[in-house]
Amino acid sequence: MESLIGVKLGCLFGLFTLTLVCGLSPIFSKWFKIDAATGCHLRVLNLLGCASAGIFLGAGFMHMTAEALEGIESEIQKFFGQNRTESKRNPSSDAGSAFVEYPYGELIISLGFFLIFLLESLALQCCAGATGQSTVQEEDSGGNPVFDFHSHASLHSRKQSPFRDFVLLLSLSFHSVFEGLAVGLQPTIAATIQLCLAVLAHKGLVVFGVALRLVKIGTGSRWAISSILSLAFMSPLGLALGMTMAARNSEGWKGLVQAILEGLAAGTFLYVTFLEILPRELSNYEAPLAKWGCVAAGFTFMAFIALWA
């Protein structure tokens, strides 16, 4: 038992250290400062941003969504399984079976997507400068509506979305807590090490992509560092909670609530990936095939890691 606790503490330290190293390296390195980049250096950074977008896409589908669907389905089956004996005696068991087969996981993930969609729409509706983006774009195009995707002026005038970046960090924080929780709940040393290595394999890339994005959109150093630090504490926090819960062996509604929260986090992550990260990285037609290749490479790598994660 003591050796298992020691392994979990080592995993805790490893998750924290890897997140800091992968997250802080783009922030402190001048090479990743896109404002000072020109020529080939700028093209490499843009393609690297596309690769990180592919990593986010892969993390959203192959890890967060997949894990959320699996967890929700398992908990729903467990919840209805408790009354399975009574339902067999009930003549309306066919209706109950259809109710169990309803795609709850997809529904919860969609609710997470629409929840952030609603919050951002409310923020834009209530904000006095919400229409500033379209106004600026119209001025850049001489008063005509901007439907010309070749226009580079509109790309630079495009307003940043700190709300979406906050949602990105929040959803990743939730996911990191659940990852650490899963590691902390493992009953054996072998299972703990195997799961921790799977988490480390994709977490480093995702955190690096987050840091690269923060640098690329011009986030202040203090805010970027504090964001990475808060993200670094999430997995160890979840692991510590998992160790505590494993010691108490508590069940109840814990699993179902965790699965629902992870599904909502997956929905918010997909929202930011499709409405903020990918459109921004693919917002011009420079080297389209190279950008496609980088996005596909990032997604493929995350899909490959999903064999073990």
Side-chain angles (χ1 to χ4, degrees):
M1 188 66 176
E2 293 182 358
S3 58
L4 177 60
I5 295 176
V7 170
K8 289 183 178 180
L9 291 176
C11 293
L12 188 151
F13 178 77
L15 288 170
F16 180 76
T17 303
L18 179 76
T19 305
L20 283 184
V21 172
C22 294
L24 295 180
S25 55
I27 297 175
F28 287 106
S29 176
K30 294 182 179 180
W31 192 86
F32 292 99
K33 304 295 183 182
I34 196 168
D35 293 336
T38 56
C40 184
H41 184 193
L42 180 60
R43 287 193 292 271
V44 170
L45 287 179
N46 287 330
L47 293 178
L48 193 59
C50 291
S52 68
I55 290 172
F56 285 124
L57 188 64
F61 278 116
M62 305 303 296
H63 294 273
M64 296 183 71
T65 302
E67 293 169 10
L69 289 175
E70 181 181 1
I72 294 171
E73 181 180 358
S74 175
E75 293 300 325
I76 291 294
Q77 292 292 340
K78 187 186 302 182
F79 176 77
F80 285 104
Q82 295 175 354
N83 300 323
R84 185 167 297 175
T85 304
E86 298 181 1
S87 65
K88 288 182 179 180
R89 300 175 182 175
N90 192 339
S92 61
S93 60
D94 293 339
S97 176
F99 189 69
V100 173
E101 294 176 357
Y102 186 82
Y104 293 101
E106 289 81 354
L107 175 63
I108 292 173
I109 292 173
S110 301
L111 288 177
F113 184 96
F114 279 101
L115 175 62
I116 300 304
F117 192 6
L118 173 63
L119 291 177
E120 187 170 20
S121 299
L122 289 173
L124 291 174
Q125 183 71 29
C126 298
C127 182
T131 58
Q133 179 176 343
S134 60
T135 302
V136 174
Q137 289 180 346
E138 289 179 3
E139 290 176 356
D140 286 337
S141 59
N144 297 320
V146 177
F147 294 104
D148 183 11
F149 294 104
H150 294 276
S151 175
H152 297 279
S154 62
L155 299 177
H156 295 290
S157 63
R158 199 173 173 183
K159 294 179 71 176
Q160 305 295 334
S161 180
F163 177 77
R164 287 177 178 174
D165 296 324
F166 173 74
V167 169
L168 173 66
L169 291 169
L170 186 62
S171 61
L172 281 176
S173 297
F174 269 111
H175 185 61
S176 297
V177 170
F178 297 139
E179 285 177 335
L181 191 64
V183 175
L185 289 172
Q186 296 305 306
T188 63
I189 294 178
T192 300
I193 294 177
Q194 181 180 4
L195 184 58
C196 183
L197 290 177
V199 172
L200 288 171
H202 76 271
K203 187 174 182 62
L205 288 174
V206 172
V207 174
F208 182 85
V210 171
L212 185 64
R213 170 169 174 74
L214 292 176
V215 172
K216 191 170 184 179
I217 65 176
T219 306
S221 297
R222 290 185 178 180
W223 168 245
I225 294 172
S226 61
S227 299
I228 297 300
L229 284 174
S230 62
L231 196 58
F233 278 106
M234 292 299 107
S235 289
L237 175 62
L239 199 151
L241 290 175
M243 293 173 63
T244 304
M245 294 168 64
R248 295 181 178 180
N249 196 23
S250 59
E251 290 294 335
W253 291 82
K254 169 185 65 66
L256 182 59
V257 172
Q258 174 185 335
I260 291 175
L261 290 176
E262 190 165 4
L264 293 175
T268 61
F269 189 88
L270 291 177
Y271 177 87
V272 177
T273 300
F274 280 104
L275 272 73
E276 175 70 12
I277 297 174
L278 280 172
R280 189 173 295 278
E281 297 298 338
L282 305 176
S283 56
N284 61 66
Y285 282 132
E286 294 179 2
L289 287 179
K291 288 187 173 184
W292 179 91
C294 290
V295 173
F299 180 88
T300 302
F301 195 79
M302 297 303 290
F304 182 73
I305 292 177
L307 292 173
W308 296 277

